[in-house]
Amino acid sequence: MIQKRHNWFLTHIEYQGHGKAKFEDPKGILEGHVLIRFDEFGNYTVEMDVENCKPDQPLQFDLLEFFSAEKPIKENREIEFTPNLGSNKCISLIVETSDGIYSTTRNIIYNPIISFSSNNQCKVVFYILESQFDVKQERVPKYWVMPLFNFVSKFQQRNLQLDNHPLRIRPRQDDMQNTTSAERKNFLFPSNLITFTFKNNLGFIEPLVDFSKRKDILYSGQSQCVITAVMICEVDCQSIDIENLNTCLPLGFLSLLSLATGTEVTSPWVEFRDANGGIVKRIHRNFVKPTFSKGHITICEVTHQGTGDLLTCAQSSPHYCKQPLGSVLFDLVQSSSGNFTIEDKLNKICRAFDYLCKYYNLDTQNLLLGLDSTNQELVKKTLRSAAKNIRDIAKHTTDPQQSKLLKKIADKTINASNKDRDFGLAVTDLLKKLGLHDEVIIDSYYQSNPRTDGTQHWSGVISNYRGIVVHKGDFGFQLGTYDVHDVVRITHHLHDILVRIVFQMLGYNGTYQPIMVRVAVKKPVDWVKSNLSAKELGY
């Protein structure tokens, strides 16, 4: 990608300078020139050309022994040594560049490459999960910046307060004068935004100047991952150290942007900049490198303009950045991806419902509750006695494995009256608990339009389909046993229910696009009323 002079944001990051890598056992330091590169496609390299090795103790086998946690063994006047390269733990890497210090002290994996034919020349390739770069000049952080992988949306908002923001990406007229017509056609000018509020500060998402070209790269399959936009807001935390990122930054926004756009959105690094836009610190973390796939867009900015509202209101939700919502969002986004079969999509949707049913204690059924108080006490007493007898057997068993299994059986005996609930019944109870009317609408529809398989209730249909994708994995449409159109409509309906549940949990009151509706619409989250026609749900 061509970098423009007016663009302060760099999609390629490079650091180089003199580095020192510290090792644990044997203790010592490697020194040499280090080159670090991060690119816009999610790739990175960290390589040191070793110039000096400074072990804390003499080594008989030089670098082979330094990189290995194994020790030479002397037997019968002979020394045996079997090197295990890479087993000597690297505990820090610090690189002094002309502009600042690049450093890492966590989860460092490395691969030493020793050339014995060239005077033991050595290169070390590092695999870094977390690292940071701090500039030499002391500067006060004013803004945080999160580059966004694979965020493809429309940008419809304009806020006069942000027109002169020091970190705006948009090109100005004088910046455009020295560009060619071929370059200008890929620019967004003027560039609109998606705005949100984070910790009472106004933030925004803005596309890169060549956003159109980057979007084409994703849509054409030239790359499955590329930086497309930046998300920016003011810093509102005491510390910007790597340990405090979860409280300093809205990392939960990434999954919400994924939900809105229908494709996984992540961030390759985080920047902190001063009031004039100068870099203060850059933190690289092992965020997941996403694979682009066009999924269902739940919030289209042209129609709904609700992405910023979703980010803003979610922060007040008790479910934000907590389980099970994180797992539900991950499976929900993947369930509309073009990379998966209909069985895979339905399986992910069912798994998301399992998370929710377990969270609301609807995944198990206590059979004791159906008994009167007398029988309840009799059953409890009998189960306790049986469990005690099994534990007594475990105590007198000499085989440890047998004893362990017997104790597990005793534990299960105590809770024998609890059983996993039927999936369909658990889901319908979930809908009732959350005030959703879908079961009533579809059951009424099935009464008027009986299914060819004889199933009378929607709960039975989704239980049956869930059993197929979980236990068999394939509907076998080629055999004609199942109707592909029915499976798709059930899958889409369940997807839409999940979207509405998630929006409800996050407190989002804007509009969205249901997956089963093929034309652009503005549906409120509570649009499914008890008197709604099943046809509007895709039936």
Side-chain angles (χ1 to χ4, degrees):
M1 296 294 175
I2 298 174
Q3 296 301 318
K4 301 300 170 185
R5 290 189 298 273
H6 59 268
N7 192 356
W8 56 267
F9 175 71
L10 300 176
T11 57
H12 284 77
I13 304 298
E14 181 175 301
Y15 314 104
Q16 59 177 315
H18 184 74
K20 294 182 179 181
K22 189 174 182 180
F23 290 79
E24 186 175 70
D25 185 20
K27 292 183 178 180
I29 294 175
L30 288 183
E31 291 185 327
H33 183 268
V34 180
L35 177 61
I36 305 131
R37 287 177 173 151
F38 295 85
D39 73 17
E40 61 199 305
F41 303 108
N43 307 307
Y44 76 93
T45 57
V46 182
E47 296 181 348
M48 170 186 279
D49 289 321
V50 178
E51 300 166 358
N52 197 3
C53 177
K54 298 179 178 179
D56 282 6
Q57 62 191 43
L59 302 177
Q60 300 178 66
F61 296 92
D62 298 325
L63 289 174
L64 284 178
E65 187 176 347
F66 183 80
F67 287 121
S68 177
E70 306 298 327
K71 309 298 181 184
I73 300 175
K74 187 175 183 179
E75 289 187 2
N76 300 325
R77 297 183 179 181
E78 292 185 357
I79 298 177
E80 293 185 4
F81 176 60
T82 304
N84 182 13
L85 296 183
S87 58
N88 185 6
K89 184 178 180 181
C90 179
I91 56 178
S92 71
L93 173 64
I94 299 175
V95 182
E96 185 172 353
T97 76
S98 58
D99 300 317
I101 303 295
Y102 173 87
S103 63
T104 179
T105 58
R106 296 185 180 188
N107 304 314
I108 305 172
I109 302 171
Y110 67 95
N111 178 32
I113 304 171
I114 304 173
S115 176
F116 296 103
S117 60
S118 303
N119 299 321
N120 285 359
Q121 285 187 355
C122 177
K123 173 181 284 188
V124 180
V125 179
F126 293 92
Y127 304 95
I128 307 297
L129 299 183
E130 292 182 346
S131 60
Q132 66 185 49
F133 173 77
D134 296 272
V135 297
K136 290 182 178 179
Q137 301 91 339
E138 187 173 342
R139 296 173 178 171
V140 178
K142 173 73 172 176
Y143 306 103
W144 56 257
V145 179
M146 291 179 66
L148 299 179
F149 273 144
N150 294 6
F151 181 70
V152 178
S153 182
K154 303 292 185 181
F155 300 84
Q156 299 293 309
Q157 295 172 300
R158 177 105 184 263
N159 189 305
L160 296 178
Q161 290 179 252
L162 299 171
D163 275 0
N164 295 312
H165 194 285
L167 297 182
R168 284 298 300 270
I169 293 290
R170 71 158 193 258
R172 296 177 175 83
Q173 287 286 8
D174 55 347
D175 295 319
M176 300 297 291
Q177 292 175 359
N178 297 322
T179 59
T180 66
S181 58
E183 290 172 330
R184 284 195 295 272
K185 73 177 183 179
N186 288 317
F187 292 166
L188 292 178
F189 181 78
S191 173
N192 289 330
L193 311 168
I194 292 173
T195 61
F196 59 88
T197 300
F198 176 63
K199 294 185 176 181
N200 297 319
N201 293 316
L202 180 62
F204 62 94
I205 303 174
E206 184 172 13
L208 299 188
V209 288
D210 53 351
F211 173 80
S212 298
K213 184 176 180 180
R214 293 170 180 273
K215 182 175 69 172
D216 290 342
I217 288 175
L218 293 173
Y219 281 23
S220 65
Q222 296 177 52
S223 175
Q224 295 297 305
C225 178
V226 67
I227 298 172
T228 56
V230 290
M231 180 163 57
I232 299 169
C233 195
E234 288 192 29
V235 172
D236 188 9
C237 55
Q238 297 298 317
S239 172
I240 59 171
D241 289 337
I242 195 168
E243 295 84 1
N244 298 311
L245 278 190
N246 289 332
T247 56
C248 192
L249 299 174
L251 300 182
F253 279 11
L254 298 174
S255 60
L256 301 182
L257 295 177
S258 302
L259 172 63
T261 61
T263 189
E264 190 177 8
V265 176
T266 64
S267 179
W269 61 77
V270 175
E271 297 179 355
F272 292 93
R273 293 181 173 266
D274 63 20
N276 297 318
I279 186 71
V280 176
K281 180 192 288 282
R282 189 178 288 116
I283 295 177
H284 302 270
R285 289 184 65 181
N286 189 30
F287 292 107
V288 175
K289 180 180 176 181
T291 299
F292 180 79
S293 175
K294 291 179 67 175
H296 174 64
I297 301 173
T298 57
I299 299 178
C300 174
E301 284 302 300
V302 172
T303 307
H304 311 110
Q305 294 188 25
T307 303
D309 291 339
L310 175 63
L311 302 182
T312 299
C313 71
Q315 300 165 61
S316 301
S317 167
H319 304 286
Y320 174 66
C321 285
K322 295 181 180 178
Q323 292 293 16
L325 192 59
S327 298
V328 171
L329 281 169
F330 179 79
D331 282 328
L332 179 55
V333 172
Q334 290 213 324
S335 70
S336 74
S337 169
N339 292 337
F340 298 104
T341 65
I342 188 65
E343 289 90 353
D344 290 333
K345 294 179 180 182
L346 184 54
N347 191 9
K348 293 178 184 299
I349 288 173
C350 291
R351 187 165 60 189
F353 272 110
D354 285 338
Y355 295 140
L356 290 170
C357 289
K358 183 175 182 179
Y359 176 75
Y360 286 105
N361 298 316
L362 299 172
D363 58 326
T364 58
Q365 181 180 13
N366 189 343
L367 300 178
L368 286 176
L369 298 179
L371 302 176
D372 58 38
S373 58
T374 301
N375 284 327
Q376 281 188 28
E377 288 304 316
L378 287 173
V379 171
K380 288 179 181 178
K381 183 177 179 180
T382 302
L383 291 175
R384 286 195 296 267
S385 177
K388 181 180 181 301
N389 291 337
I390 296 172
R391 289 195 180 97
D392 288 340
I393 297 173
K395 289 179 182 178
H396 296 90
T397 300
T398 57
D399 186 335
Q401 186 62 27
Q402 290 288 305
S403 177
K404 184 178 179 180
L405 290 173
L406 285 166
K407 290 177 181 178
K408 285 187 176 181
I409 293 172
D411 292 339
K412 286 184 176 292
T413 302
I414 285 289
N415 297 307
S417 59
N418 291 337
K419 73 168 189 175
D420 291 339
R421 295 199 65 198
D422 173 83
F423 175 75
L425 294 178
V427 170
T428 54
D429 278 355
L430 176 67
L431 268 57
K432 291 173 184 175
K433 183 178 183 67
L434 299 178
L436 303 182
H437 307 287
D438 298 75
E439 178 204 11
V440 175
I441 296 169
I442 305 307
D443 276 357
S444 176
Y445 172 76
Y446 283 157
Q447 295 302 312
S448 304
N449 302 270
R451 292 176 57 87
T452 56
D453 60 9
T455 308
Q456 298 181 353
H457 297 283
W458 182 68
S459 61
V461 176
I462 63 176
S463 288
N464 182 29
Y465 284 0
R466 190 250 190 188
I468 292 169
V469 298
V470 170
H471 301 296
K472 294 182 179 180
D474 185 6
F475 280 102
F477 293 121
Q478 66 275 11
L479 301 177
T481 307
Y482 295 96
D483 180 1
V484 63
H485 299 291
D486 189 57
V487 173
V488 170
R489 76 169 60 96
I490 293 292
T491 302
H492 283 175
H493 184 199
L494 289 172
H495 178 280
D496 183 65
I497 292 172
L498 271 179
V499 170
R500 283 183 272 134
I501 290 175
V502 168
F503 282 155
Q504 184 182 112
M505 293 174 72
L506 291 173
Y508 175 69
N509 294 317
T511 59
Y512 80 106
Q513 179 72 38
I515 193 171
M516 74 283 283
V517 181
R518 298 304 180 187
V519 296
V521 294
K522 297 175 66 173
K523 292 289 188 182
V525 176
D526 62 349
W527 70 284
V528 180
K529 308 295 185 183
S530 58
N531 60 350
L532 188 76
S533 166
K535 184 178 181 181
E536 294 191 60
L537 294 174
Y539 292 80

